[in-house]
Amino acid sequence: MKPRVTVMTIGVDDLEVAVRFYRDGLGFPTDGVIGQEFEHGAVAFFDLQPGLKLALWPRASLSHDSGLPVDKPSATEFTLGHNVASKSEVDAVMALASDAGAVVVKPAQETFWGGYAGYFQDPDRHLWEVVWNPHWPSLD
């Protein structure tokens, strides 16, 4: 299998609340909620970078489509990593997320491996890591 991730879908409790957080709070571009004419079809897509989208889909719809029951979410199942070009950009993104309603669970700080990072949770408790890694090529 050739790695080709193009969409990351996360289940949400309230699609409108989640869309407002990502669109209005974080400034992610989207055409808004589509598919409302279909039962279990309402979804919102956000452009992250060329070839990669974030999809928000109600947990009940994801459950219906996959055939799996809705289970208690856990913030430590996975993280979404947002790499930035500097320590100051980590601080700026963390402040933006907090102002948008995110819960900062670990303020930005120096890491054991020489970087700088912090964690926040979106309204559905999904965990985001905002990180500057001095060992990666420049993101400017």
Side-chain angles (χ1 to χ4, degrees), residues 26 28 82-97 108-109 116-118 120 129-133 137-140:
L26 298 184
F28 287 9
H82 181 70
N83 286 274
V84 297
S86 68
K87 291 180 183 181
S88 62
E89 194 174 351
V90 170
D91 292 333
V93 171
M94 293 293 289
L96 177 69
Q109 56 193 267
Y116 186 75
F120 71 82
E129 180 185 26
V130 182
V131 60
W132 168 73
N133 184 337
S138 175
L139 298 173
D140 288 333

Side-chain angles (χ1 to χ4, degrees), residues 52-105:
L52 183 61
K53 292 186 182 290
L54 174 68
L56 306 179
W57 205 14
R59 283 187 169 95
S61 298
L62 187 54
S63 170
H64 174 80
D65 196 55
S66 68
L68 296 172
V70 174
D71 202 0
K72 182 179 176 186
S74 172
T76 57
E77 294 298 323
F78 73 98
T79 65
L80 296 163
H82 181 70
N83 286 274
V84 297
S86 68
K87 291 180 183 181
S88 62
E89 194 174 351
V90 170
D91 292 333
V93 171
M94 293 293 289
L96 177 69
S98 179
D99 290 347
V103 174
V104 174
V105 297

Side-chain angles (χ1 to χ4, degrees), residues 23-37:
R23 180 193 60 212
D24 303 337
L26 298 184
F28 287 9
T30 182
D31 291 330
V33 178
I34 62 170
Q36 294 177 16
E37 68 274 23

